[in-house]
Each structure stands twice: as C-alpha cells, then as structure tokens.
Amino acid sequence: VAFSPTAPLLAYSTVAGPSPNWQTSIRLWEVTTDRGMGELRLGAECLGLGFSADGQTLVTSTATPDNQITVWRISDRTKLANYTARQSAVDEAIPFAITRDASAAAYGSPTIHLLDLATGQERWHADAADDSVMSLAFSPDGKILASSAGYAESAIRLWDVASGKEIAQLQAHGSWVGATAFWP
C-alpha cells in the first residue's frame, strides 16, 4: 500500500482468482470520491511499491516468476520501464525502497542491490546482513540508505547511496528491527 504524496490517491496490490492462475495487479483508488481510478497489471505478486515525491510516478517490485522492478506513469497508467531484479519476500518483510525522485530503487536480502531507474543498471550491491534484510529506507535527500537486518541483528546500517559504502551502524536497539523510516 502507498499513498500519493500529492493527491488523495491510494495504490494497493491485489491477488484475485483461483490458484494457480492468480491475477496480480495494483489498483488505484481515489479516496475522497471513494472510487477506482484504474489498474496496473503485474506478472507476479507485488513485494513493494512507492510513489515519487511529485506523485507522477509509481515504482513496483514483483516476485518470482516475474522478478521485475517496473516504473509507471500514473496519469495514463503507462509502463515507462521494466527491469529484471530478483526479488524475494523474507518472512513478512518486503525489502524494497525508492528515492523520492524515483531515480533509484534498493532491494534484496541479505545482499542489497541499488538499481538506477533511468538506465536499469545496477549501481552497486553490498552484503547488508548475516541473515536477512527486513527493511530499507532512503533519506529524504536520497543520499543515505538505511537497512535493518531483522531477527539476527539489532543494528541499523546506513549506506552512502553514491558509493555503496557502509557509513555507520546504529546500535542502540536491544532487539531486532523490522521497519525503518526517515523523518521528512
């Protein structure tokens, strides 16, 4: 689920139909009028989604067998780009995040991959956990990526987005961290 930062629009993933022929999609819902605004068809289960800061772009991440990160234009529900990116859900976590300008996406566990959403090229990858990454979040300026390692580690790791180098670990938690977010 993701809310547009600029309009009363909700995007949410759905799975419909009998197994194994499920139909997966993202539905767009205008919350003030309580009506559907369209649907984006996916090739597999949605593991993550996020809007750009201007609300014009939505980025989705899908699981096997599709393994895609897709960039959508919201105004006409057009697929702008589609990149192969092996995704997998870890327990209930979905390790996926996009920058506010939708220029990059981070995904993966226990290795984080940073994908350039303009070119489809991987900028870098880094081992981010001994076990599994549970969450990813970009800072508002897109310069830092935070990752939490879930059950096995309590530290939050901070990564320099430009270089892929780990720049700090926040060690204050006494137990696992299941979600991360930056204050705007």
Side-chain angles (χ1 to χ4, degrees):
V1 171
F3 277 99
S4 168
T6 61
L9 184 66
L10 172 69
Y12 63 96
S13 63
T14 65
V15 178
S19 176
N21 298 318
W22 292 325
Q23 295 295 316
T24 56
S25 64
I26 300 296
R27 292 200 179 143
L28 303 172
W29 193 261
E30 212 285 346
V31 296
T32 56
T33 61
D34 198 26
R35 65 183 178 95
M37 299 300 292
E39 186 174 45
L40 310 172
R41 293 280 184 174
L42 302 176
E45 175 187 7
C46 181
L47 296 178
L49 67 159
F51 279 98
S52 59
D54 65 7
Q56 300 301 307
T57 304
L58 182 73
V59 181
T60 59
S61 166
T62 55
T64 302
D66 195 44
N67 292 314
Q68 299 289 311
I69 292 179
T70 306
V71 181
W72 304 87
R73 183 173 45 230
I74 292 301
S75 61
D76 60 3
R77 291 173 289 292
T78 300
K79 187 183 295 186
L80 300 175
N82 205 35
Y83 306 117
T84 300
R86 183 139 174 79
Q87 295 281 299
S88 62
V90 179
D91 295 325
E92 295 179 14
I94 301 167
F96 177 75
I98 68 165
T99 55
R100 291 175 42 85
D101 64 359
S103 65
Y107 67 94
S109 179
T111 301
I112 296 172
H113 302 267
L114 189 80
L115 182 70
D116 185 305
L117 292 176
T119 65
Q121 297 299 307
E122 182 176 276
R123 291 186 193 169
W124 55 263
H125 64 271
D127 292 331
D130 293 333
D131 186 25
S132 60
V133 174
M134 297 297 284
S135 69
L136 297 167
F138 282 100
S139 62
D141 64 6
K143 294 180 180 181
I144 297 172
L145 176 67
S147 66
S148 69
Y151 303 114
E153 302 171 48
S154 61
I156 296 171
R157 295 181 187 202
L158 300 178
W159 306 88
D160 176 64
V161 171
S163 68
K165 302 291 184 203
E166 184 177 331
I167 55 177
Q169 286 191 18
L170 308 177
Q171 302 272 350
H173 296 88
S175 186
W176 67 280
V177 177
T180 52
F182 280 89
W183 190 257

